[in-house]
Amino acid sequence: MQVQEYKEHNFRLLICSESDRFEIERLSPIEHIGYLQMYDRDGRLEIRDLWINEEPEDFRGKGFGSILIEHAFEYAKEKRMDYIFGHTQKDDYRVHRFYEKCGFKVFIDNRYDRAWFLYPSNGGLMNTPDFDQLAKLGGLGNELGIYEFN
């Protein structure tokens, strides 16, 4: 496990390379803030879970999720992955806005009641992704009816 401390901001990032997981915690007093779980899916990085603690102190909206996403961007770039993707609930607009703010493009999938978020890790313009392939990688099947979220 690799640890990066940011003492001036009172947190540290734990990079668990053996499990493709980043954890973030406050230094003083020590408290778990959140984590990001990700998987390599055929040269694409899937964000499976991003969680920020709300109890006993609410850490949401304080930039910790963005810190974790930035490290996922760096990880994908180092591994030369094509893009980063994931999905969330179709009607969770707060989460949609979060991913858009981080640079992702959000698409709504009416068939599976999901919202896909995608980011090109190579920094280039993203061509229209193969949603059937994403659904297969994410374990959702294919034949999707998707339109862009505005």
Side-chain angles (χ1 to χ4, degrees):
M1 180 180 302
Q2 181 184 359
V3 177
Q4 296 177 6
E5 288 195 3
Y6 300 86
K7 290 182 181 179
E8 68 277 6
H9 299 292
N10 197 30
F11 75 88
R12 70 178 168 187
L13 184 71
L14 298 101
I15 301 168
C16 311
S17 56
E18 66 278 357
S19 66
D20 291 333
R21 179 179 171 109
F22 297 138
E23 296 180 15
I24 193 166
E25 62 185 23
R26 184 167 53 189
L27 291 173
S28 179
I30 293 177
E31 187 171 355
H32 187 71
I33 294 173
Y35 66 86
L36 180 128
Q37 183 73 46
M38 56 195 181
Y39 298 95
D40 182 345
R41 302 286 190 211
D42 296 329
R44 296 155 190 96
L45 186 64
E46 178 185 11
I47 293 177
R48 180 54 65 100
D49 196 13
L50 173 61
W51 176 80
I52 302 297
N53 199 357
E54 293 179 84
E55 294 180 15
E57 181 179 338
D58 190 356
F59 292 106
R60 288 184 166 192
K62 296 180 181 174
F64 294 110
S66 298
I67 291 166
L68 292 170
I69 291 292
E70 283 299 319
H71 284 278
F73 289 166
E74 290 174 20
Y75 178 91
K77 192 172 185 176
E78 286 174 15
K79 302 284 186 182
R80 298 177 186 245
M81 296 180 161
D82 297 333
Y83 55 87
I84 303 168
F85 76 100
H87 59 87
T88 187
Q89 294 177 350
K90 174 182 163 181
D91 60 353
D92 197 343
Y93 302 113
R94 179 180 177 198
V95 173
H96 300 180
R97 285 188 298 275
F98 167 76
Y99 282 108
E100 285 177 330
K101 180 181 162 191
C102 290
F104 287 82
K105 195 165 188 175
V106 177
F107 299 86
I108 300 299
D109 169 1
N110 285 315
R111 180 174 177 159
Y112 293 103
D113 281 338
R114 303 267 186 226
W116 292 95
F117 48 92
L118 301 145
Y119 181 86
S121 60
N122 62 12
L125 293 174
M126 183 175 64
N127 295 327
T128 301
D130 182 341
F131 291 108
D132 289 338
Q133 183 182 32
L134 281 178
K136 184 177 177 183
L137 289 171
L140 297 177
N142 52 22
E143 299 179 17
L144 303 176
I146 298 177
Y147 64 90
E148 188 172 342
F149 174 76
N150 289 317

